[in-house]
Amino acid sequence: MLVAAALCPCPPLLVPAVAAGAAPELDAARTACTDALGVLAAARPDRLIVVGPTWQGETETYPEGTHGSFRGFGVDVGVRLGRNGATDGTEAAVPGTLPPSLAVAAWLLRRTGWSDAPIEGLAVGESLAPERCRDIGREIAAGTERVALLVMGDASACRTLKAPGYLDERAEPFDEAVGRALGSADLAALEALDVELARRLMVSGRAPWQVLAGAAEDAGLGGALLYEDAPYGVGYVVASWS
C-alpha cells in the first residue's frame, strides 16, 4: 500500500556541478525537494520506488545499486541508486545505466542522506498510455507492504520565448492545472491530463504522475504544494503527499 509520495522535477541542473555558475537559481527548488523527501522518511516505508520518465521503451526497472552519471552533461559526477548514493572517483568517470531522471533522483537521495528503506527505480516511457500508467501504479500499491514513491518529472518546457520548446500560450494554464492537482493530490485531474497536449508542450512528468495516480487510488493521501516556478521557461513543481 502507498503511504507517501514526493514529487520533484528532474532537470540535471538541480545538480550544482551541472548548473555551475547558475546553481543558486535552483536553490529554492533543491530545498523544497529536501522537504518532500523528509515526508517520505517520516512515513517509514518498507520500500521506496523512484519513478521517472524516459524517452526509450515502455518501462524499465533498475535494482538498488545501479549506477548513473552526469558525464553526458559535462561533469564527472557519479551516483548510485541506493541508501548510500555516493560513488568513488572511478565509478564517477564511467557512464552509468540510469536514465537522467533517475540519476537526478539518486543525487537528491544522496544529498538528503536517505538510509531508510531499500530503493528500486522504474523508468516509464513518456508516451505510455494513461491506462497502462494507472495499471502500473496499482501493481506497485498492491499488497500490504508499505511503499513510498519518489516521482520525478517536469511540467511544460514552453513557458517563454527562450524555453526549450519556445513559447506556447497553452503552457502556463497547463502547468497551473498540474500544480493544483499535485498540490491537492487530485487523482482525477492527473488521470485526465491530455496526452497529446502534454507531448506538444514537452511535459516529461505526465506518465510518472499518472503512475502515481494509479498507486494512490485507495491510499487516501493529502497533498501539499512546496514549490512552483518556471526558471529557464520550464515548469518545475515540488509537492508531497502523505
Side-chain angles (χ1 to χ4, degrees), residues 44 48 51 53 82 93 107 134 139 195 223 232:
R44 299 187 177 277
L48 174 64
V51 183
W107 181 84
R134 290 194 294 270
E139 293 168 7
V195 176
Y232 318 115

Side-chain angles (χ1 to χ4, degrees), residues 13-33:
L13 289 172
L14 277 178
V15 180
V18 176
E25 296 178 20
L26 289 179
D27 279 348
R30 295 184 191 97
T31 298
C33 290

